[in-house]
Amino acid sequence: MAYLPIEDYGIVGDMHTVALVGKNGSIDWFCFPFFDSPSVFGAILDDRKGGRFRIYPSCECLTEKQLYWPETNVLITRFLSADGVAEIYDFMLPSQTPGARKYGRKLVRRVQGVLGEVPLFAECLPAFNYARDMHQVTITPGGASFSAPGTHMGLAAAVPLAAFGTGVAADFTIREGESATFLFGETEPGSGAGAFPSEEESGAILSEVVNYWLRWISKCTYSGRWSHMVHRSALALKLLTFEPTGAIVAAPTCSLPEMLGGVRNWDYRYTWIRDAAFTFYGLMRIGLTEEAERFMEWLEHRCHEIEPDGSLQIVYGIDGRHDLTEVTLDHLEGYRGAGPVRVGNGAYRQLQLDIYGELMDSVYIFNKHGTPISYELWGHLRVLLDWVCENWHREDEGLWEVRSGRQHFVYSKLMCWVALDRGLRLAEKRSFPAPQRGRWLEIRDRIYEDIMSRGWNQERQAFVQYYGSDHLDSSNLIMPLVFFMSPTDPRMIRTIEAVMKSPRNGGLLANNLVYRYDPEKSFDGLTGEEGTFNMCTFWLVEALIRGRQANPQWVNKARLIFEQMLGYANHLGLYAEETGHRGEALGNFPQAFTHLALISAAFNLNRMLGDRHAS
């Protein structure tokens, strides 16, 4: 079966893991029991070996549609033919629902007949441990069981199953008003396919899950323009949250390529310290304080695990583990043959100085808009700030985790300034003891002067990627957002203007989409091209909003770019990390950073437009 475009997927989940469901009714990615566990279905990384769970019509003349039940994470895939219409309701059972308490953590696929009758074929072909482990299939009363080393899973079904390849399959017909439910999940050894609800109870479980999500999204306080997209982003972020610890994964997939034929394939199923400030700002702006508080708990635990030299690791496992050793799975061909397939992330060993700024900014935001931080946490933060004072001048691998060697990246210096600035503000507002206050202030100001003298390129009339270079980097658009520089400062205005030129003219803007940098001019140690970075496009929107006093035309430009960016979401309102030249999704999917940036840009653009209309 041919690979689907990345943008042709939706996701369902239970805040422990997710499943990617294609418009063709195929679940092609599902790791269990957690986001970063080995895959059970992984056809998105190898169509032949990876394994899938597909339900699709066996008739022709077919149209496929996909949507979410409004304001929920219940995914509906519709098949329309000349003879009838059928729908699949895909969802997982959040732990707080009665269905989860009775049946455990299950992936539910409820097929419903809408009109006429539709013949369907279901195939469940698991491939455990990234298709490395053999498994035994047993047909049992009410379904089938699958046994692999250390793993026992079952498929309970309302229709008879038969052995098929490495799994099971079923031919059945669904008629108007009928339903047939499939439950897939972990089972106890010897328990067969596991417990199974009647169709009436299955319908009640669906209603419970719909109501769970409607109650959850009702906590969102955002009601401005583009509320549908903001709510969808919030719902996606909730699915990317690991309920046991409060961590949020960068994305639930690994090794989806940033460009077909390249080597930029990474595992994003972990939690980066860098995401902290953007997470707090995005969630708290729209009233989702409980999720922000849980993430703060995870972050505080990491601050209790400072390395012996006083530093932090840049990325951790969702359970807080430190070792994320990167390995290549050479037996898998990769999405559309675009290997390598990597699991783990070797960047965890890198030096990335910017994380201290994001960490301190997030703590400052949380202390201001959430719950005041504890004295114990402040003690750990003081250690980190002292470490920044000793190490800010070092070269590092930077925000983009380059593999070409360290540089004096401007963004890294900027965020070291943010770390000390927020530490000073926090000490002042909370009257915390800060014996090194004078040193923090001195170093903060020294960093500022350093950036202004060495990060500014007089010839380019712009802030550049690293000291001594003449290459642009879209991360410098963050400067006014973190209050390093006035948005109307001439240097900031010229930097924005430089970024907004086309790549052929030395800029980063193509078709109103922003590249993070030009990989041809700024060698990052990797071969191949990449698409535009979605979050960077939203950063440009925010920079234009803030700089409107210098150029009133930027208001219209910001709105146009934002509206066009919304058009690059997939049919469900979800984004991958990047957008390709033909508008296709590239990279891991869906990406939390992009959805957080969308929320922030929507909030600030809506507020600006509201103020303007009111005047």
Side-chain angles (χ1 to χ4, degrees):
M1 192 175 77
Y3 287 93
L4 287 180
I6 293 171
E7 63 268 22
D8 278 2
Y9 287 95
I11 60 167
V12 297
D14 64 354
M15 284 68 74
H16 291 76
T17 190
V18 304
L20 266 64
V21 186
K23 291 171 70 174
N24 64 353
S26 184
I27 294 176
D28 292 341
W29 183 252
F30 178 63
C31 298
F32 194 86
F34 306 128
F35 293 104
D36 55 355
S37 299
S39 62
V40 177
F41 304 124
I44 200 169
L45 294 180
D46 194 307
D47 182 65
R48 292 179 300 106
K49 301 176 185 175
R52 62 169 47 88
F53 182 5
R54 189 180 183 197
I55 303 173
Y56 60 102
S58 49
C59 58
E60 297 182 357
C61 302
L62 189 70
T63 300
E64 302 165 350
K65 301 286 185 181
Q66 201 173 54
L67 68 152
Y68 280 109
W69 187 305
E71 303 281 87
T72 79
N73 279 316
V74 174
L75 186 62
I76 305 171
T77 305
R78 309 192 82 200
F79 299 112
L80 301 91
S81 72
D83 297 322
V85 178
E87 296 178 334
I88 306 173
Y89 288 73
D90 282 303
F91 57 95
M92 294 186 71
L93 304 178
S95 59
Q96 300 91 331
T97 60
R101 290 191 285 270
K102 183 174 181 179
Y103 294 102
R105 293 184 50 219
K106 291 294 195 296
L107 177 59
V108 184
R109 313 201 73 185
R110 178 179 165 87
V111 184
Q112 293 188 181
V114 177
L115 184 68
E117 64 177 44
V118 180
L120 295 135
F121 182 73
E123 57 179 353
C124 182
L125 308 171
F128 294 97
N129 191 17
Y130 304 114
R132 290 182 294 191
D133 290 350
M134 302 293 290
H135 63 272
Q136 181 178 352
V137 182
T138 305
I139 304 297
T140 66
S145 65
F146 308 92
S147 298
T151 304
H152 300 276
M153 304 193 82
L155 174 63
V159 298
L161 302 176
F164 180 76
T166 58
V168 295
D171 279 300
F172 64 104
T173 298
I174 201 79
R175 297 175 178 83
E176 184 175 339
E178 295 179 344
S179 65
T181 300
F182 298 79
L183 253 67
F184 182 83
E186 191 172 29
T187 58
E188 293 294 327
S191 64
F196 188 71
S198 66
E199 288 305 312
E200 181 180 359
E201 186 181 3
S202 169
I205 291 172
L206 170 60
S207 296
E208 291 169 2
V209 173
V210 166
N211 289 331
Y212 168 86
W213 286 112
L214 291 175
R215 287 193 302 272
W216 183 82
I217 197 62
S218 69
K219 301 174 185 176
C220 178
T221 57
Y222 185 84
S223 59
R225 299 169 180 83
W226 317 291
S227 60
H228 173 73
M229 290 296 291
V230 170
H231 288 184
R232 178 50 52 199
S233 291
L235 285 160
L237 289 166
K238 181 64 172 176
L239 285 182
L240 303 186
T241 302
F242 186 54
E243 187 175 89
T245 65
I248 298 177
V249 295
T253 57
C254 68
S255 291
L256 294 183
E258 296 176 13
M259 185 63 73
L260 289 177
V263 297
R264 301 167 187 267
N265 309 340
W266 313 112
D267 190 348
Y268 277 14
R269 297 172 298 161
Y270 309 111
T271 303
W272 271 255
I273 295 291
R274 174 177 301 112
D275 296 0
F278 301 98
T279 299
F280 282 110
Y281 185 86
L283 294 179
M284 299 194 75
R285 278 298 191 190
I286 59 175
L288 301 178
T289 55
E290 181 179 341
E291 285 67 31
E293 289 171 357
R294 292 300 318 284
F295 189 71
M296 187 66 201
E297 291 174 12
W298 181 88
L299 199 60
E300 184 165 353
H301 283 305
R302 305 293 77 76
C303 291
H304 287 231
E305 301 168 355
I306 294 174
E307 300 293 329
D309 66 352
S311 66
L312 277 177
Q313 194 166 293
I314 69 163
V315 56
Y316 297 85
I318 52 178
D319 56 356
R321 73 183 184 281
H322 291 226
D323 187 354
L324 306 178
T325 299
E326 184 176 292
V327 298
T328 300
L329 303 180
D330 294 325
H331 66 289
L332 297 178
E333 71 171 14
Y335 175 76
R336 293 189 173 179
V341 174
R342 295 185 178 96
V343 296
N345 198 304
Y348 81 99
R349 296 182 179 276
Q350 289 188 348
L351 175 66
Q352 297 177 22
L353 295 169
D354 65 285
I355 66 167
Y356 301 96
E358 285 108 359
L359 170 65
M360 289 303 303
D361 200 27
S362 65
V363 173
Y364 180 77
I365 292 169
F366 188 75
N367 182 83
K368 183 176 180 180
H369 299 289
T371 303
I373 67 166
S374 67
Y375 170 74
E376 184 177 7
L377 176 56
W378 173 247
H380 293 294
L381 297 176
R382 283 165 53 181
V383 174
L384 293 174
L385 291 169
D386 289 340
W387 187 91
V388 170
C389 287
E390 293 289 339
N391 293 275
W392 71 271
H393 61 278
R394 295 172 62 185
E395 297 178 328
D396 71 338
E397 278 87 5
L399 163 70
W400 305 123
E401 301 180 349
V402 301
R403 302 198 176 194
S404 57
R406 296 177 177 179
Q407 298 284 353
H408 288 293
F409 288 103
V410 173
Y411 182 81
S412 296
K413 308 303 183 192
L414 167 68
M415 297 312 289
C416 286
W417 178 91
V418 170
L420 294 169
D421 180 75
R422 300 312 190 261
L424 288 162
R425 292 179 187 230
L426 198 53
E428 181 68 24
K429 288 183 178 296
R430 291 291 307 279
S431 299
F432 278 134
Q436 297 295 318
R437 185 192 310 261
R439 185 171 184 237
W440 298 348
L441 179 60
E442 177 193 351
I443 299 297
R444 184 199 68 173
D445 292 349
R446 189 187 306 172
I447 295 172
Y448 195 104
E449 297 284 8
D450 198 57
I451 293 171
M452 298 302 282
S453 62
R454 301 175 68 193
W456 173 259
N457 185 298
Q458 189 67 26
E459 184 177 341
R460 286 299 309 267
Q461 285 290 290
F463 289 104
V464 289
Q465 186 175 48
Y466 56 86
Y467 293 172
S469 76
D470 61 359
H471 313 312
L472 298 180
D473 192 311
S474 62
S475 64
N476 291 330
L477 295 170
I478 288 288
M479 287 181 173
L481 279 64
V482 297
F483 306 109
F484 174 80
M485 173 171 285
S486 165
T488 58
D489 187 291
R491 290 192 178 192
M492 196 67 238
I493 297 300
R494 289 171 190 147
T495 298
I496 295 172
E497 291 172 343
V499 167
M500 287 173 48
K501 293 180 180 178
S502 69
R504 71 172 59 182
N505 293 318
L508 299 176
L509 188 67
N511 193 27
N512 278 344
L513 299 172
V514 180
Y515 289 93
R516 56 179 177 170
Y517 54 81
D518 186 340
E520 293 184 4
K521 297 178 180 177
S522 182
F523 182 63
D524 56 14
L526 299 165
T527 59
E529 300 178 350
E530 62 182 23
T532 55
F533 255 61
N534 294 328
M535 69 176 181
C536 296
T537 302
F538 288 122
W539 285 353
L540 176 59
V541 170
E542 296 221 45
L544 292 172
I545 294 168
R546 286 166 170 78
R548 66 188 183 276
Q549 291 181 345
N551 188 339
Q553 293 302 314
W554 281 0
V555 173
N556 294 329
K557 184 68 171 178
R559 183 164 188 175
L560 177 62
I561 292 174
F562 183 82
E563 295 277 7
Q564 288 182 328
M565 191 62 208
L566 296 185
Y568 285 105
N570 79 345
H571 59 290
L572 299 169
L574 301 176
Y575 291 90
E577 183 176 34
E578 301 180 22
T579 298
H581 302 309
R582 296 179 301 278
E584 73 276 20
L586 296 172
N588 286 307
F589 174 88
Q591 199 211 26
F593 225 151
T594 300
H595 287 279
L596 289 163
L598 183 153
I599 290 171
S600 179
F603 182 92
N604 288 306
L605 182 56
N606 178 72
R607 181 171 60 178
M608 185 272 296
L609 292 173
D611 291 342
R612 187 183 64 172
H613 292 320
S615 60

